[in-house]
Amino acid sequence: MQVGIFTIGDITTDPTTGRTPTENERIKATVTLARKAEEIGLDVFATGEHHNPPFVAPANPTVLLANIAAQTERLLLSTATTLITTNDPVRLAEDYAYLQHLADGRVDLMMGRGNTGPVYPWFGKDIRDGIELAVENYALLHQLWREDIVDWEGKFRTPLHGFTSTPRPLDGVPPFVWHGSIRSPEIAEQAAYYGDGFFANHIFWPTYHFQRLIALYRKRFEHYHGSADQAIVGLGGQFYLAKNSQDAVREFRPYFDRAPVYGGGPSLEEFTSGTPLTVGSPAEFVEKTLSFTENFGYYQRQLFLVDHAGLPLDAALRQLDLLGEVLPQLRTEWEARRGEGVPATPPTHAERAAQLTTSEEVSHD
């Protein structure tokens, strides 16, 4: 199981102090969290993509991820959403291949349509075309990374004639791609068709909704590729931990109640009972996190949101320290739940490059 954290880069006033971090502080804090993630033994750091306040998650995540790549050695760098609907696939192909080279292959992407409606007209798109844009743009990106010379014509951008995207993917292997969705069966179908990963960020909606989406993805993956067991699934989660549950609830409640996303809605108790959010002791966190395999089967990536709702950097770093303490137990328990032949993690760049080399050698024999 790959374990990591993701950020949405929200700038939110700390409800306990009344202090709002500056954009500069929030950006620098994100890099600090990524370095901390590697320090405690996490596998993945991922960032969202936003184009509007109150977020400073990068409009071009490759800038942030390249900076983090230069300061880490092992951490896999990912997007928590790359807007496949409003970004030009040509630009995505070139930017992320370039990042691959800088990071020595420690890169993958999560494609998504985004959750901010106005972003569509900002980039000259129509939100009513969201699914069609996701399907067409990804088909082009997929082709650009796998064909040296591309002739292409579609509905939403100018045609390409004899076009070569540069630089070419590192070792001839494009970044591994996830398709993220919280509601759209068409995206689960798309992920299955291409044999890509499917990420269900089920931090807001009830479990049964995502059980249906993931089941659909596995079923369609089996249809296209022969085995549902080989489907690659990721899940989101979030937590706030203290040595005992009473302290955790007392400390986190002000942040929850005023969070820009879910503040003013269900109570903290209602939210924790219906979503993956854990507010409690490390033991309670382990128990609830392990229950995800009971709901979804074994999966290959778990990402947690820890730096949101105005939580200051020092508190987020303490959360990562607590996560680091229980990480060995989680890894042991997850491995015990993995079925024979089920992939333990998503395929790495090195594994995919080796497979490509082997395939080329066989084809030349």
Side-chain angles (χ1 to χ4, degrees):
M1 177 83 71
Q2 285 181 346
V3 188
I5 59 173
F6 72 99
T7 182
I8 59 173
D10 61 307
I11 297 180
T12 302
T13 300
D14 185 334
T16 67
T17 66
R19 187 179 187 279
T20 304
T22 66
E23 289 181 324
N24 180 266
E25 289 171 334
R26 192 68 175 90
I27 290 168
K28 293 296 183 67
T30 302
V31 177
T32 299
L33 287 168
R35 293 200 305 264
K36 183 69 171 183
E38 180 164 271
E39 176 189 319
I40 68 169
L42 296 182
D43 305 301
V44 184
F45 174 83
T47 179
E49 175 187 340
H50 282 283
H51 299 264
N52 58 291
F55 302 100
V56 290
N60 184 351
T62 56
V63 175
L64 171 64
L65 297 179
N67 183 277
I68 295 171
Q71 301 184 55
T72 55
E73 297 179 355
R74 182 188 52 80
L75 198 63
L76 180 62
L77 307 171
S78 180
T79 57
T81 300
T82 295
L83 297 180
I84 190 62
T85 47
T86 54
N87 281 302
D88 182 3
V90 172
R91 185 63 183 267
L92 293 178
E94 295 182 340
D95 283 355
Y96 285 94
Y98 200 101
L99 177 61
Q100 259 197 321
H101 287 270
L102 290 174
D104 297 322
R106 293 185 289 133
V107 175
D108 63 20
L109 286 82
M110 186 190 304
M111 302 298 177
R113 292 187 292 134
N115 59 7
T116 305
V119 75
Y120 284 84
W122 292 342
F123 290 91
K125 308 298 182 183
D126 188 329
I127 194 172
R128 292 170 294 184
D129 296 326
I131 292 292
E132 286 186 272
L133 281 163
V135 171
E136 180 177 300
N137 284 353
Y138 183 63
L140 175 55
L141 176 61
H142 190 272
Q143 185 177 352
L144 288 166
W145 273 339
R146 287 163 176 82
E147 297 179 15
D148 290 338
I149 301 175
V150 171
D151 292 300
W152 181 89
E153 185 170 346
K155 178 179 178 181
F156 296 107
R157 79 173 315 279
T158 53
L160 298 173
H161 301 292
F163 180 79
T164 299
S165 172
T166 60
R168 304 304 298 148
L170 179 65
D171 302 320
V173 178
F176 185 75
V177 169
W178 301 81
H179 299 261
S181 178
I182 62 172
R183 60 183 177 272
S184 303
E186 296 92 341
I187 302 304
E189 173 75 21
Q190 183 182 41
Y193 175 79
Y194 287 102
D196 295 335
F198 182 67
F199 191 89
N201 193 8
H202 68 315
I203 62 175
F204 299 126
W205 289 32
T207 295
Y208 67 83
H209 171 80
F210 291 98
Q211 285 177 314
R212 293 199 296 263
L213 270 181
I214 291 173
L216 172 63
Y217 163 67
R218 294 187 192 276
K219 179 179 179 181
R220 299 303 293 166
F221 189 98
E222 183 171 46
H223 170 78
Y224 290 117
H225 307 286
S227 176
D229 287 344
Q230 300 306 299
I232 304 297
V233 173
L235 296 177
Q238 50 188 332
F239 63 85
Y240 185 89
L241 305 181
K243 292 301 182 182
N244 62 71
S245 58
Q246 293 83 359
D247 286 344
V249 170
R250 175 179 54 80
E251 293 169 11
F252 188 65
R253 189 182 298 279
Y255 296 98
F256 177 88
D257 287 346
R258 298 190 183 181
V261 176
Y262 42 61
S267 69
L268 175 59
E269 288 74 17
E270 291 171 328
F271 203 81
T272 53
S273 68
T275 76
L277 174 63
T278 300
V279 181
S281 68
E284 290 171 322
F285 166 70
V286 169
E287 180 180 7
K288 184 165 185 176
T289 301
L290 291 175
S291 73
F292 298 167
T293 59
E294 299 170 8
N295 296 324
F296 304 104
Y298 184 85
Y299 56 104
Q300 285 71 29
R301 175 176 288 183
Q302 174 67 61
L303 297 183
F304 295 107
L305 177 64
V306 296
D307 68 323
H308 61 116
L311 201 69
L313 176 60
D314 60 347
L317 292 172
R318 287 197 300 272
Q319 292 301 302
L320 290 183
D321 281 330
L322 290 169
L323 175 59
E325 291 176 9
V326 300
L327 189 58
Q329 180 184 356
L330 282 172
R331 292 193 189 280
T332 299
E333 295 287 349
W334 271 322
E335 181 59 24
R337 287 162 168 74
R338 183 168 66 91
E340 184 177 356
V342 175
T345 65
T348 66
H349 178 85
E351 290 169 345
R352 297 169 71 218
Q355 292 172 355
L356 178 63
T357 300
T358 301
S359 298
E360 290 175 346
E361 290 174 349
V362 170
S363 66
H364 292 152
D365 288 344

